[in-house]
Amino acid sequence: MSGNGQQKKEAGNKVPDNKAPDSKAPDSKAPKRQKVIALKPKERMKIPRHLPNEQDPTERITNFCEVSNGFDIDKAIAEANRCLECNDPVCMHACPVNVDIPAFIQLLYQGDYAGAIRKIRESNYLPAICGRVCPQENLCENSCIVGKKLEPLAIGKMERFLADYEARSGTFTPPPLAESKGQSVAVVGSGPGGLTVAAELAQMGYDVTIFEALHEAGGVLKYGIPEFRLPKQIVDEEVERVKALGVKIETNVIIGRTLTIDELLGEMGFGAVYIGTGAGSPRFLNVPGENLSGVYSASELLTRVNLMKAYKFPEFDTPMQIGNKVVVLGGGDVAMDAVRTSKRLGPEQTLLLYRRSREEMPARIEEVHHAEEEGIEFHFLTSPVAIHGDENGWVKAIECQKMELGEPDEKGRRRPIPIEGSSFIIETDTVVVAIGQSPNPIIQQTTPGLETTKWGTIVVDDDCATSRPGIFAGGDISRGGATVIQAVADGKRASRSIDAYLAKLREELVPGTAKNHSKQE
Amino acid sequence: MYRIIQTETLAPTITKLTVEAPLIARKRKAGNFVIVRPTPTGERIPLTIVDSDPDKGTIVIIVQAIGKTTHIITGMKEGEYLMDVVGPLGEPTPVSDFGTVVCIGGGVGTAVIYPIAKALKEAGNRVISIIGARNRELVILEDEMAAVSDELIVTTDDGSHGKKGFVTDALQEIITGQGKPDAVYAIGPLPMMRAVANVTREPEIRTWVSLNPIMMDGTGMCGACRVTVGNEMKFACVDGPEFDAHEVNFDELIARNRTYAGPEQEAFSTWKNRTETTDCKHL
């Protein structure tokens, strides 16, 4: 890319106000992007968005294989042809980690798949994962200029294609690592945030160890998100690519129990700690009957099926006991995952109850759409009041009431209000509660001086620094409940803060070492 | 992978395993447990840490073969490996000098009460222990319990060893004969713990029980282990596993523990049949 004097043209294009946390403000001195796509803009605007091949709904509800098969080479390149190569790429600003989307699309268009995936990985080390589970429709694709007239570019599907192509062709080569800085960092939790922090810091020359409480690395990507949305092999491959940077992963270590944060910073000699333990503690409704047999948290259902592979029972030893009719309560992504997972376990009927209307559902539209295709029955404006059991302590019915929408709450969502005398009974033998997760409290309880909120989240500043020096946190443990890509964005921000913090320590120890990043060993 | 250093058969279905787990051994306190996943396709189950040796880096678990997973674990030999062991989990037992304490172990629950009795003794209590089993063969850790108790009473349902009767009978006798103890710790099958709670409720004797609900992660993430204690929802893995016996809703927990009875039975019989078929080929 070359060319200068772009000042004037770009001056009018302001960065959107909702600047992403990781936003590197677009450099006004950056060279103007060279156009590489041969088609004229008008021709590009005639091409409709390409659709990925998907498993037929009637087929896919009988298996746990991935719903979407993504793009093949032809579709990926054809989709790349739709890019307008905007001078001010709003898609890139809308991405929480500012992936250089036009650049990777151009490389894809030119057939340089290795270059394209390298370009993505400069900003996001987990493209195979984010290409699948990132809510692109609210982020990059929502801001795509093509989308003003036609459907926006399928940016997520192109990202996924490049990641999968690299994996299938075995062309991954780890990016170069900076010279060792002779300092080590402990990362707590191997979810998307932890993996990102580890990958970033390893590339900067730090010695990184991830501590994972479960027996497999991946965090929520393993126990939470179902196989049919994010195959576990994909997660394993991404984890291997993080390990390829020299990152060590210690599974079966619960920080706060097996080791404490203070031990990591003290006798174990880590210079800094990143806490990315997520929000995995299930919330319950606080209605009568919630502890009956046959009432599960979404976390239990999903962990059994995803991490423990209950869908392969008895080949795998962990069972999941699903009855003839499953009622899932909630309207978020986890509720959607729970209801679609339940459906695949073979009940006769699968229902989802949500206390507001379709418009207020926090779940991704794509997943709601997939769930509807799969025959999930949605009951909106319906709220549970009590769960009733039989003489053996098993759930037999759920008592509900109808709701109507009142004034918007502080988040702008209309508040559901019960309608008097509207209660009714739904008979069922399985209830799954998917109304949200809270942060796991173990680290907060065992780390003196670590400031937390009344919701149990860890207090952090804009640089992911906690109330204690050397301890950083991000993702759901500080946000309370967010997305994979926000965890990735926090991870990137935190890695820069940790680098700055450790550089200061180096400077204090051996003046002059921080600046030239020299050979301290 | 966690190497099994030593195994010992304590009773026909009960095995004691000493396992290499240095980080856990260093931290473990009485009342803590581990989650064990024996094989790559195995399930995660909670097991109390009976003893630990921080210098050798080992922990001791005692397992009764009931279902598939426990049969796999008790069938393991020295030098073999448990796939995953994680801990120490749960809140440690509240140990202090209460005065006179009665420690009750029922069946394999004796393995769980042993470290607690030991800790209570070390804290200066007068420890009276009651261990109960269905018959003589199933009485475990009798010598160990005797060593940490000022007085040890053994009961068997059939009278084949010690006193004939239930642990609650022996407890009642102590209360009547020696007066109210200052605290009671009872660990065993849920109906036994419920019965002990019923004995000590009226005389208002502080009583703790250790609950064994279904668990998966052991860190408060799955909610499978939720129990009602004093009309509040508690997670046994992080809030327990020990609770005030008089506050626990035992009936609910007994029902909840049956949730997976069907599939568990299926897994066990499939596994058992497979093993037997394999064995036949070698004959």
Side-chain angles (χ1 to χ4, degrees):
Chain A
M1 283 185 279
S2 64
N4 266 320
Q6 77 297 355
Q7 294 282 85
K8 264 179 241 161
K9 266 189 185 168
E10 284 202 349
N13 292 326
K14 279 266 157 20
V15 191
D17 271 339
N18 59 339
K19 200 171 71 159
D22 195 51
S23 184
K24 297 167 210 141
D27 190 346
S28 56
K29 276 173 262 161
K32 185 174 170 180
R33 203 179 291 279
Q34 205 175 38
K35 315 278 186 194
V36 301
I37 298 170
L39 293 177
K40 293 199 178 77
K42 269 189 184 169
E43 293 170 323
R44 300 179 205 179
M45 289 293 285
K46 282 182 190 149
I47 312 170
R49 177 176 164 122
H50 294 83
L51 299 172
N53 300 324
E54 284 183 355
Q55 264 201 89
D56 187 73
T58 53
E59 173 73 26
R60 71 184 187 231
I61 56 168
T62 63
N63 64 52
F64 277 81
C65 300
E66 197 169 10
V67 167
S68 169
N69 296 314
F71 282 163
D72 53 25
I73 291 188
D74 294 342
K75 271 194 185 176
I77 293 179
E79 186 68 16
N81 266 293
R82 301 179 66 224
C83 182
L84 294 176
E85 302 171 286
C86 305
N87 277 332
D88 181 22
V90 280
C91 53
M92 181 173 166
H93 309 322
C95 172
V97 295
N98 305 114
V99 169
D100 192 343
I101 295 165
F104 94 66
I105 292 178
Q106 288 182 334
L107 290 162
L108 164 62
Y109 170 82
Q110 292 167 319
D112 182 0
Y113 310 127
I117 194 71
R118 262 203 310 276
K119 179 55 73 181
I120 297 175
R121 219 174 253 119
E122 282 173 12
S123 309
N124 181 354
Y125 204 76
L126 311 173
I129 291 163
C130 291
R132 287 174 163 83
V133 301
C134 201
Q136 293 102 4
E137 66 279 8
N138 299 329
L139 300 167
C140 54
E141 294 181 12
N142 184 42
S143 70
C144 174
I145 301 296
V146 177
K148 305 245 182 279
K149 284 207 164 161
L150 289 171
E151 286 286 299
L153 261 76
I155 299 168
K157 295 292 183 289
M158 286 188 278
E159 177 184 27
R160 174 187 159 173
F161 161 77
L162 290 165
D164 289 356
Y165 183 87
E166 177 193 53
R168 281 196 300 269
S169 57
T171 49
F172 170 77
T173 43
L177 307 184
E179 204 171 336
S180 168
K181 293 201 162 55
Q183 286 163 301
S184 59
V185 178
V187 173
V188 187
S190 63
L195 290 173
T196 300
V197 172
E200 295 292 322
L201 289 173
Q203 291 176 72
M204 294 178 196
Y206 293 99
D207 182 7
V208 185
T209 306
I210 300 180
F211 295 97
E212 167 56 49
L214 291 168
H215 56 266
E216 283 183 22
V220 71
L221 308 168
K222 273 284 174 66
Y223 71 76
I225 302 177
E227 178 79 16
F228 56 82
R229 280 215 293 136
L230 178 63
K232 300 312 141 204
Q233 193 195 328
I234 298 289
V235 181
D236 286 335
E237 287 170 0
E238 210 88 291
V239 167
E240 284 307 313
R241 287 189 277 267
V242 173
K243 285 162 108 174
L245 302 169
V247 171
K248 296 177 278 288
I249 303 183
E250 301 279 347
T251 53
N252 292 331
V253 179
I254 301 172
I255 301 303
R257 293 275 192 246
T258 320
L259 296 167
T260 62
I261 296 277
D262 284 298
E263 283 172 312
L264 296 176
L265 289 170
E267 57 192 271
M268 296 187 72
F270 288 100
V273 175
Y274 179 78
I275 305 170
T277 47
S281 188
R283 284 193 209 129
F284 285 89
L285 296 156
N286 206 11
V287 301
E290 209 159 15
N291 287 358
L292 288 163
S293 292
V295 181
Y296 306 98
S297 73
S299 312
E300 179 179 358
L301 165 77
L302 292 172
T303 307
R304 282 181 180 275
V305 177
N306 297 330
L307 177 73
M308 305 308 295
K309 309 227 178 306
Y311 66 96
K312 292 185 180 172
F313 179 86
E315 181 193 337
F316 281 73
D317 295 342
T318 304
M320 182 65 220
Q321 184 76 336
I322 278 282
N324 292 323
K325 185 170 171 183
V326 181
V327 175
V328 175
L329 311 170
D333 284 324
V334 174
M336 234 36 73
D337 284 345
V339 80
R340 297 175 66 202
T341 297
S342 301
K343 179 78 187 182
R344 283 161 173 75
L345 294 169
E348 284 161 23
Q349 222 184 335
T350 316
L351 279 64
L352 183 128
L353 312 188
Y354 181 52
R355 62 197 182 120
R356 303 182 209 232
S357 71
R358 176 187 296 269
E359 287 66 43
E360 287 81 24
M361 271 186 140
R364 277 185 79 183
I365 302 158
E366 182 180 327
E367 303 311 334
V368 177
H369 173 67
H370 277 146
E372 283 177 321
E373 283 181 344
E374 290 168 9
I376 310 297
E377 296 169 36
F378 286 77
H379 294 249
F380 295 105
L381 295 165
T382 304
S383 187
V385 206
I387 303 170
H388 301 294
D390 65 15
E391 62 283 3
N392 297 316
W394 264 93
V395 53
K396 66 168 185 189
I398 179 161
E399 188 180 335
C400 304
Q401 62 185 357
K402 294 302 284 182
M403 312 295 276
E404 59 189 354
L405 291 179
E407 293 301 308
D409 63 14
E410 61 278 4
K411 282 182 186 165
R413 285 195 304 175
R414 293 180 66 191
R415 210 185 292 273
I417 300 163
I419 301 173
E420 281 298 315
S422 65
S423 77
F424 63 104
I425 296 274
I426 299 174
E427 284 185 18
T428 182
D429 54 8
T430 311
V431 173
V432 180
V433 183
I435 57 161
Q437 288 82 231
S438 308
N440 193 304
I442 293 178
I443 287 183
Q444 295 87 313
Q445 287 166 357
T446 55
T447 312
L450 193 63
E451 203 185 316
T452 56
T453 66
K454 63 178 174 180
W455 298 282
T457 52
I458 297 176
V459 176
V460 291
D461 66 11
D462 289 343
D463 298 320
C464 293
T466 69
S467 55
R468 278 191 49 182
I471 305 179
F472 300 79
D476 283 2
I477 192 69
S478 60
R479 293 176 178 271
T483 58
V484 167
I485 192 66
Q486 277 175 306
V488 170
D490 281 357
K492 293 201 64 182
R493 235 150 22 105
S495 60
R496 288 196 291 272
S497 314
I498 292 170
D499 181 40
Y501 172 80
L502 292 176
K504 227 172 91 191
L505 288 191
R506 286 199 299 280
E507 186 65 31
E508 281 165 17
L509 238 65
V510 189
T513 49
K515 270 171 212 149
N516 57 22
H517 289 215
S518 68
K519 59 261 165 190
Q520 266 303 105
E521 192 48 60
Chain B
M1 302 267 273
Y2 299 77
R3 195 157 70 100
I4 298 167
I5 305 290
Q6 200 186 4
T7 64
E8 186 189 334
T9 305
L10 301 184
T13 54
I14 303 174
T15 306
K16 173 179 166 185
L17 298 99
T18 307
V19 182
E20 230 171 37
L23 289 180
I24 302 172
R26 224 162 52 100
K27 277 289 163 66
R28 168 264 170 185
K29 290 197 175 83
N32 284 146
F33 64 94
V34 283
I35 294 270
V36 174
R37 190 178 74 121
T39 64
T41 55
E43 62 177 340
R44 295 167 64 101
I45 62 162
L47 293 165
T48 300
I49 309 170
V50 177
D51 213 341
S52 59
D53 186 332
D55 298 329
K56 288 187 186 146
T58 56
I59 59 167
V60 172
I61 51 175
I62 292 179
V63 187
Q64 181 165 31
I66 297 167
K68 177 177 174 182
T69 305
T70 46
H71 271 92
I72 288 174
I73 297 173
T74 53
M76 285 181 154
K77 304 274 175 294
E78 288 170 22
E80 289 191 275
Y81 291 84
L82 292 168
M83 193 70 204
D84 300 291
V85 179
V86 62
L89 296 163
E91 287 297 313
T93 307
V95 171
S96 59
D97 189 357
F98 299 102
T100 299
V101 182
V102 178
C103 291
I104 307 172
V108 78
T110 304
V112 186
I113 201 76
Y114 166 67
I116 295 170
K118 192 175 158 191
L120 287 165
K121 180 72 194 159
E122 281 163 7
N125 291 281
R126 176 166 176 263
V127 176
I128 306 172
S129 295
I130 308 169
I131 58 175
R134 282 207 308 278
N135 56 47
R136 182 189 198 99
E137 265 194 334
L138 294 172
V139 174
I140 58 166
L141 301 180
E142 192 176 343
D143 295 342
E144 286 86 345
M145 284 300 286
V148 299
S149 309
D150 294 276
E151 191 185 335
L152 174 70
I153 302 155
V154 180
T155 67
T156 49
D157 299 1
D158 64 357
S160 55
H161 187 52
K163 287 187 178 174
K164 184 176 186 323
F166 299 122
V167 291
T168 38
D169 303 330
L171 174 64
Q172 194 64 67
E173 255 174 58
I174 293 167
I175 296 170
T176 328
Q178 309 188 18
K180 262 171 47 172
D182 298 295
V184 171
Y185 287 75
I187 299 165
L190 286 169
M192 182 212 94
M193 292 194 281
R194 181 174 55 186
V196 169
N198 288 340
V199 170
T200 60
R201 182 171 285 116
E202 196 81 320
E204 294 180 357
I205 303 166
R206 185 162 26 170
T207 305
W208 280 279
V209 287
S210 178
L211 303 182
N212 57 340
I214 295 166
M215 265 184 212
M216 227 182 340
D217 60 283
T219 61
M221 276 176 34
C222 77
C225 70
R226 61 193 193 275
V227 289
T228 303
V229 181
N231 293 319
E232 257 184 78
M233 185 189 286
K234 297 281 183 191
F235 288 178
C237 66
V238 286
D239 300 322
E242 285 160 25
F243 294 102
D244 180 341
H246 300 146
E247 299 280 340
V248 172
N249 184 337
F250 285 102
D251 297 340
E252 178 188 277
L253 180 56
I254 289 170
R256 282 190 65 74
N257 275 5
R258 281 199 296 259
T259 302
Y260 293 97
E264 277 162 8
Q265 199 79 53
E266 184 194 335
F268 181 50
S269 52
T270 313
W271 175 80
K272 207 171 151 216
N273 292 335
R274 190 175 55 194
T275 317
E276 280 164 5
T277 329
T278 321
D279 284 349
C280 289
K281 280 181 193 158
H282 294 293
L283 285 176

